[in-house]
Amino acid sequence: MTWGIWGKALQKTEIIDLMGHCIENGITTFDHADIYGGYTTESDFGKAFKDSGIDRTSIELISKCGIQYLSDNRNNSVKHYNYSKDYIIWSAENSLNLLNSDYLDLLLLHRPSPLMQPEEIAEAISNLKSRGLIKSFGVSNFTASQMALINKYSTIDVNQIEFSLTQHSAMHDGILDHMMTNTVTPMAWSPLGSVFREDTEQNRRIHKQLGALLEKYNASEDQLLLAWILKHPSLIHPVIGTTTKKRITDAANAINIELELEDWFKILVACQGHKVP
């Protein structure tokens, strides 16, 4: 999301360079959505990918559809959601065209709609899978009950949710429990939460606790925040948003950090401001 005009507005050569850096560090999955950059970022990435010389089978491409965003590039009068069979199919095909790819490794419904019909969604996903246009299907920002509704007709492989130390409600509202029960892979957007964005009493507590653990784990604060997520038994996959090479490298190395049990709870307590029940 941050590679295009909603972030650093990277030029084609910069995108190619950053893709190479990610791959060199073992990060091979690139998370898109049709709406990113007001429907422009997939095109920017696709043009760079076409000229990069990168083997398509060496990377994974994700995209999302469904949000009808207010943009000069779409004739929408209000932000809304469209999960009709024809639209889902068209959107996936359009993303593939823009990304210069023959298939998506994963297609996600971007946000739940109160009007979504699971049978119609299933028809669209079946069509795309049978034609080899998508390998896997999932959702994003769906509750446990919404996942159960869709999963009745279409197998959900992934749910991408907001999850971090400062936004960990999914541990308590049944979402992660549901995913573990049904073998759904969680992805976490905004995995660093508000820790580096806001100067609050909560974040000051967190920084203090992380600081006390830096030397023990020979790690940076952002690495410890990712390691905290990675310890959860649901096997959460964080989606990092940075375009800074060092932070990308640090994030990749966070998988090597195994937080001790009590340290994991110390970090949680620092976030909550009180002991666990």
Side-chain angles (χ1 to χ4, degrees):
M1 185 178 71
T2 61
W3 289 31
I5 62 173
W6 282 3
K8 292 296 181 67
L10 300 177
Q11 300 301 304
K12 183 166 71 171
T13 56
E14 294 174 309
I15 294 175
I16 293 172
D17 181 54
L18 201 57
M19 288 179 69
H21 181 78
C22 289
I23 294 169
E24 288 170 6
N25 283 274
I27 298 175
T28 60
T29 302
F30 299 92
D31 180 68
H32 288 275
D34 55 354
I35 66 169
Y36 291 165
Y39 300 97
T40 65
T41 301
E42 286 187 324
S43 176
D44 292 340
F45 184 95
K47 291 173 183 176
F49 172 60
K50 183 177 181 180
D51 292 347
S52 69
I54 294 171
D55 183 355
R56 174 64 181 88
T57 61
S58 69
I59 64 171
E60 299 81 41
L61 294 178
I62 299 172
S63 194
K64 311 177 194 73
C65 72
I67 298 178
Q68 294 295 292
Y69 199 75
L70 292 176
S71 165
D72 292 338
N73 297 305
R74 287 287 173 95
N75 186 29
N76 295 322
S77 61
V78 62
K79 182 183 177 184
H80 63 286
Y81 309 103
N82 187 343
Y83 288 126
S84 68
K85 174 184 175 180
D86 289 344
Y87 181 77
I88 293 172
I89 292 171
W90 175 86
S91 185
E93 292 173 340
N94 188 56
S95 288
L96 288 173
N97 180 56
L98 295 176
L99 291 167
N100 278 298
S101 177
D102 295 328
Y103 65 93
L104 290 172
D105 294 273
L106 175 63
L107 175 69
L108 303 176
L109 307 183
H110 204 159
R111 285 190 179 274
S113 169
L115 298 179
M116 60 188 178
Q117 299 188 42
E119 300 96 332
E120 186 168 2
I121 290 170
E123 290 179 10
I125 300 309
S126 177
N127 176 291
L128 292 169
K129 283 187 172 182
S130 67
R131 295 161 60 203
L133 299 186
I134 66 172
K135 289 188 173 183
S136 297
F137 164 68
V139 296
S140 182
N141 304 296
F142 275 50
T143 66
S145 62
Q146 289 163 342
M147 279 188 284
L149 175 66
I150 299 300
N151 204 52
K152 182 177 180 181
Y153 301 93
S154 303
T155 300
I156 293 176
D157 299 306
V158 170
N159 186 12
Q160 185 176 135
I161 60 173
E162 182 179 9
F163 188 81
S164 65
L165 176 63
T166 56
Q167 175 47 279
H168 56 261
S169 59
M171 291 197 304
H172 308 297
D173 61 14
I175 293 178
L176 288 176
D177 296 337
H178 178 90
M179 285 193 262
M180 292 177 70
T181 302
N182 293 276
T183 321
V184 177
T185 299
M187 296 178 69
W189 59 268
S190 192
L192 302 183
S194 66
V195 174
F196 299 108
R197 294 199 309 262
E198 301 172 6
D199 180 19
T200 63
E201 181 180 345
Q202 178 191 51
N203 286 338
R204 287 191 288 272
R205 291 195 309 267
I206 292 171
H207 284 299
K208 182 178 179 180
Q209 180 58 68
L210 294 177
L213 297 172
L214 296 182
E215 185 175 353
K216 177 177 180 177
Y217 290 98
N218 189 27
S220 60
E221 290 191 358
D222 52 339
Q223 286 179 312
L224 291 178
L225 290 170
L226 293 174
W228 187 87
I229 291 174
L230 293 169
K231 192 172 179 66
H232 194 275
S234 63
L235 305 179
I236 299 168
H237 294 203
V239 182
I240 58 172
T242 183
T243 58
T244 302
K245 286 184 175 181
K246 184 181 185 306
R247 293 188 67 186
I248 290 172
T249 301
D250 287 347
N253 290 330
I255 64 173
N256 300 316
I257 301 171
E258 178 62 35
L259 288 177
E260 293 180 5
L261 181 66
E262 291 191 7
D263 289 337
W264 189 91
F265 277 97
K266 286 177 182 177
I267 294 171
L268 176 62
V269 168
C271 173
Q272 294 180 153
H274 57 79
K275 65 182 180 180
V276 297

